[in-house]
Amino acid sequence: MIKQSMQDAINQQIVREMYSSNLYLAMSAYFAKINLNGFANWMRIQAEEEMLHALKFFDYVIDRGGEVNIGQIASPKHDWNGPLEAFEDALKHEQLVTEWINGLAELAVQEKDFASSSMLNWFIDEQVEEEATTGEIVDRLKLVGDSKSGLFMIDSELKQRKKAPVAPAK
Ligand code: FEO
């Protein structure tokens, strides 16, 4: 049985992952509006991945005999001043998510909750990848600067990103 403190913290993280999903969906809509459909595709898939993260925590609480409580999800920002600003926001957000995951990992150690530590190791590794991927796009956007052809080249690459596999229902 999961301890109340860990359950509360994971329930809070479920909401944060759902917020992340909505934030990236809002970014996807923004990119679609300015006709950068590769960027829109990348963000839409990112939004789906965040929902899978929420579901991973959701399933974990249930598997441990806990209770899921979905709290209120704040409305994300809807407009950005260009792709660089949007991706810089995404990177800042991922850095924040890493802090939240680290906080959860710290709590699991304090509570001697080894099952939660093991589950959270997946998220610790995932955050390394999330920050690296988003950071790489920020760097490339800085590199192309005002070049329209550079921007369209990145856009066509981001169009190649494939949909994440759907989590099986329990
Ligand atoms: Fe669920 Fe992008 O971290």
Side-chain angles (χ1 to χ4, degrees):
M1 186 83 181
I2 193 165
K3 281 189 187 166
Q4 189 69 40
S5 58
M6 203 69 224
Q7 177 180 296
D8 291 346
I10 294 176
N11 274 324
Q12 189 180 32
Q13 188 61 26
I14 291 173
V15 169
R16 289 164 169 172
E17 298 290 347
M18 288 177 169
Y19 171 80
S20 306
S21 181
N22 287 349
L23 174 66
Y24 296 141
L25 204 55
M27 287 184 180
S28 179
Y30 164 73
F31 283 122
K33 189 177 72 184
I34 60 170
N35 290 312
L36 286 173
N37 294 322
F39 282 91
N41 172 62
W42 195 95
M43 279 298 176
R44 187 189 172 106
I45 292 170
Q46 192 64 17
E48 289 172 10
E49 280 201 3
E50 296 302 344
M51 191 46 81
L52 294 180
H53 293 170
L55 288 173
K56 209 173 164 75
F57 281 117
F58 174 98
D59 288 338
Y60 177 76
V61 172
I62 289 174
D63 285 349
R64 293 284 311 277
E67 195 175 311
V68 170
N69 287 303
I70 314 267
Q72 195 163 4
I73 304 159
S75 188
K77 185 174 162 180
H78 284 91
D79 204 18
W80 288 269
N81 188 23
L84 180 59
E85 191 184 270
F87 266 87
E88 279 177 333
D89 269 8
L91 179 58
K92 263 188 252 155
H93 183 68
E94 285 307 325
Q95 288 162 344
L96 186 60
V97 174
T98 300
E99 280 177 34
W100 288 332
I101 297 291
N102 289 345
L104 284 170
E106 222 173 289
L107 179 65
V109 170
Q110 272 169 25
E111 297 286 13
K112 296 188 170 44
D113 183 344
F114 304 112
S116 292
S117 289
S118 171
M119 180 274 294
L120 286 162
N121 280 336
W122 184 90
F123 281 95
I124 290 169
D125 293 343
E126 176 72 2
Q127 280 313 116
V128 173
E129 201 189 306
E130 297 268 81
E131 283 194 39
T133 315
T134 315
E136 194 191 318
I137 298 171
V138 167
D139 289 345
R140 291 177 62 197
L141 284 166
K142 282 183 180 164
L143 210 65
V144 301
D146 291 334
S147 156
K148 290 270 181 290
S149 59
L151 187 65
F152 286 124
M153 214 167 77
I154 299 176
D155 189 61
S156 63
E157 275 178 45
L158 298 186
K159 202 173 275 173
Q160 309 303 317
R161 186 176 185 188
K162 298 277 179 287
K163 209 170 147 60
V166 175
K170 289 254 169 182

